[in-house]
Amino acid sequence: MPNPNLRRTLRALPDFASGLPGFDPEQAPEDPAELFLSWLEEALAAGVPQPHAFSLATADDAGNLSSRMLILKDLDADGWHFATSRTSRKGRELEQNPRAAMNFYWYGQGRQIRVAGSVVQLDAEASARDWNERPGADGSQNPSWQLYALSPREVEFWQADPGNRHIRFRYPR
């Protein structure tokens, strides 16, 4: 049975942490990866837990959506790296529909970064290296393990403001 006080309880919760960092879009670099790395460094310095965690949204060929939390593995010219088994739900969905969206959210910073675009499989050597670099790896191989790169067509940075004057900055400009 629904909680009749749920709406009141939810409305009473704070939206954002206090002392949020500022953000001036006029000072943003041309490359969204550069801005992301800058924000990531600030999150690490501020002690944000798991700043490399993100929600990955995928869809199958019928358009049925799903999302889950993953860990960013790297960021380079190929794109934003993540890994999973090709036989997992997300692996099967990426095979059917190689597009995805990532969402990083750092409550303590009042920051959110959304990355959307096409996804490609990286080579077998990179996938094997990623498998073996996992904590507790025992040197065995996992032939279904796949390292992917999301090549963004859009990257959006969002900075919360306690006065609800949030800043949304989207690449491409």
Side-chain angles (χ1 to χ4, degrees):
M1 171 155 230
N3 178 350
N5 296 318
L6 179 60
R7 180 175 172 77
R8 187 175 26 249
T9 299
L10 293 174
R11 297 295 282 175
L13 294 172
D15 290 331
F16 306 107
S18 61
L20 300 178
F23 173 53
D24 180 0
E26 296 296 322
Q27 302 300 315
E30 291 294 319
D31 183 358
E34 188 178 333
L35 182 55
F36 175 80
L37 292 173
S38 172
W39 279 24
L40 178 63
E41 286 177 15
E42 289 179 31
L44 287 165
V48 172
Q50 292 189 305
H52 59 326
F54 64 92
S55 172
L56 180 75
T58 57
D60 62 20
D61 59 355
N64 299 305
L65 300 169
S66 63
S67 67
R68 74 290 286 157
M69 298 301 294
L70 293 177
I71 298 296
L72 183 69
K73 302 294 188 127
D74 202 355
L75 173 56
D76 64 16
D78 290 325
W80 307 59
H81 297 203
F82 63 94
T84 190
S85 171
R86 286 186 302 278
T87 62
S88 69
R89 179 175 178 175
K90 61 189 158 299
R92 293 188 314 270
E93 289 173 348
L94 289 167
E95 181 68 30
Q96 297 169 16
N97 182 358
R99 294 179 297 175
M102 298 175 155
N103 190 48
F104 295 84
Y105 178 62
W106 304 325
Y107 171 77
Q109 302 295 102
R111 288 180 167 171
Q112 180 172 219
I113 301 132
R114 191 174 53 80
V115 184
S118 58
V119 176
V120 297
Q121 292 184 2
L122 298 179
D123 64 33
E125 181 181 318
S127 296
R129 184 174 52 254
D130 181 74
W131 174 258
N132 286 315
E133 288 175 350
R134 293 173 314 110
D138 61 7
S140 65
Q141 298 300 309
N142 180 345
S144 69
W145 193 252
Q146 183 62 56
L147 186 63
Y148 295 89
L150 188 153
S151 176
R153 76 174 150 67
E154 178 182 19
V155 181
E156 181 179 81
F157 292 81
W158 183 85
Q159 175 66 61
D161 177 82
N164 287 326
R165 293 178 303 277
H166 311 305
I167 299 168
R168 188 178 307 269
F169 182 70
R170 189 168 59 141
Y171 292 87
R173 295 182 193 192

